[in-house]
Amino acid sequence: EVARQIREVVGEDIPLLMMTAYDWPAIRDEAIAAGVNGFCNKPIFMSEMHNVLEKTLNVKSAIEAPKEDAPQAAVSFQGRRLLLVDDMPVNREIATMLLEMNDFMVEQATDGDEAVEKVASSAPGYYDAVLMDIQMPRMNGYEAARAIRTLDDKELASIPIIAMTANAFDEDKKAAKDAGMNGHVAKPIDMDQLLGSLAEVLK
């Protein structure tokens, strides 16, 4: 309804994007009929927003990273297995989909306890890295990282761990480092940033 009213006021010249946490294919036809030009899923990923805006406005980014700086140029993600730890099902679903689109294999854990158990019971090298949420019930991400770092098997204990959290202040980054984590990525996840962090720890 808002889209229809906006179109009545501004006409067809200004692009109109819809941001929704719902299944937009179900409302696509109605939205297009109302004058919507594009869609962006919530939670918002900056890389997706950038791509949608670039396509809708029919422009190219003014700043493009050199090809040699792209994460994939240094590290192949093909066949790399990640353990994704998050207590929110929707977060796991979205992150898994995006990571698999970038050639990763993804297994999931729903809290810190399960993450420690999965790493401890795995063969060294089975997981290439752990993506660890921080705010979780039972055992939080910091506690889980510390527990992994104290495993008897030194190879398992040294697995790369990247924090994924909505808390993105300097003290949060320091807390992640103090817990033995190798990196810190803020939520909502920007895939370019996450892939860059993964490329760094998987060299």
Side-chain angles (χ1 to χ4, degrees), residues 7 13 25-26 31 36-37 44 52 60 62 87 122 148 161 172 176 180 188:
R7 282 290 174 237
D13 294 335
V36 173
N37 301 99
I44 299 298
V52 171
K60 289 293 183 181
D87 63 314
S122 68
I148 290 172
I161 304 174
D172 301 303

Side-chain angles (χ1 to χ4, degrees), residues 40-100:
C40 198
N41 293 320
K42 290 183 178 179
I44 299 298
F45 297 94
M46 289 307 297
S47 55
E48 180 187 5
M49 174 67 81
H50 179 276
N51 292 337
V52 171
L53 286 170
E54 189 176 82
K55 180 179 179 181
T56 303
L57 298 175
N58 194 29
V59 297
K60 289 293 183 181
S61 174
I63 302 176
E64 294 186 5
K67 290 183 178 179
E68 61 268 25
D69 290 339
Q72 293 87 342
V75 177
S76 171
F77 298 141
Q78 184 70 45
R80 299 290 187 121
R81 182 181 283 104
L82 304 177
L83 179 61
L84 174 67
V85 190
D86 199 306
D87 63 314
M88 298 295 292
V90 65
N91 290 346
R92 296 196 305 272
E93 179 181 353
I94 293 172
T96 296
M97 176 187 69
L98 293 172
L99 289 164
E100 288 178 343

Side-chain angles (χ1 to χ4, degrees), residues 154-173:
K154 299 304 181 185
E155 189 172 346
L156 291 177
S158 62
I159 186 172
I161 304 174
I162 296 176
M164 299 193 307
T165 172
N167 301 322
F169 296 106
D170 288 341
E171 55 265 34
D172 301 303
K173 296 178 182 178

